[in-house]
Amino acid sequence: MENTDRYAPSDIAALLRGIDRYNPENLKVLEPYVNQQVEENSYDIAANLAILKLYQFNPTYFVMDVVSKILMKTLMSLPSPDFTLCKCLIDQQYQDLYEIGRVIFLLSINCWRLATFQFSGKKLRQLQT
């Protein structure tokens, strides 16, 4: 049965305050919240990082689909460092899996293209002055 509850960002922020932030029971709320972010085209890096940290502390709870969605949501924040922050919280054994590895590869290419584009723009402005 799919969870149909809707969560307000303020409720999620309250859930993530203090030591309770790392309670694995929070995944019952946080994982559906990732789906909500996808459906509503919203983005909550604090909640997403908390999920990845919980997976890091509790690898038996790891859900591949949730991690893939979190990584794809980092595209919304480029050129911020969110992709790198998220990637660093994912154990290498999961990064090596096809489902996660392909997302990381695609995001890495996009980050490289963005960096190249920004560098080219700076060089062009320097040449014009």
Side-chain angles (χ1 to χ4, degrees):
M1 188 168 145
E2 192 173 314
N3 189 339
T4 58
D5 293 336
R6 293 313 224 191
Y7 303 101
S10 59
D11 294 336
I12 299 299
L15 183 70
L16 298 177
R17 284 194 199 104
I19 192 80
D20 201 42
R21 169 188 195 100
Y22 300 113
N23 181 348
E25 290 297 312
N26 290 344
L27 288 170
K28 293 177 184 173
V29 172
L30 294 173
E31 289 173 339
Y33 185 59
V34 171
N35 290 326
Q36 181 179 327
Q37 290 177 61
V38 170
E39 292 167 10
E40 296 176 355
N41 199 24
S42 61
Y43 183 63
D44 187 338
I45 187 61
N48 296 342
L49 289 172
I51 291 169
L52 295 175
K53 187 56 107 172
L54 283 165
Y55 289 162
Q56 194 177 46
F57 290 151
N58 308 282
T60 57
Y61 290 100
F62 188 89
V63 178
M64 184 105 46
D65 185 54
V66 171
V67 174
S68 293
K69 288 176 183 175
I70 289 171
L71 288 173
M72 293 304 290
K73 293 300 287 180
T74 64
L75 274 173
M76 292 177 63
S77 70
L78 288 176
S80 81
D82 293 359
F83 166 66
T84 303
L85 287 170
C86 290
K87 182 181 168 200
C88 289
L89 289 175
I90 302 169
D91 192 272
Q92 188 62 48
Q93 73 178 8
Y94 297 116
Q95 290 185 33
D96 291 340
L97 297 173
Y98 176 76
E99 293 84 355
I100 302 289
R102 70 179 176 173
V103 174
I104 289 173
F105 176 74
L106 291 172
L107 288 171
S108 297
I109 289 172
N110 283 325
C111 289
W112 177 81
R113 285 182 181 163
L114 182 62
T116 302
F117 178 74
Q118 289 175 336
F119 177 76
S120 298
K122 287 178 186 175
K123 281 297 205 187
L124 182 60
R125 283 191 297 279
Q126 287 174 351
L127 292 172
Q128 291 175 342
T129 58

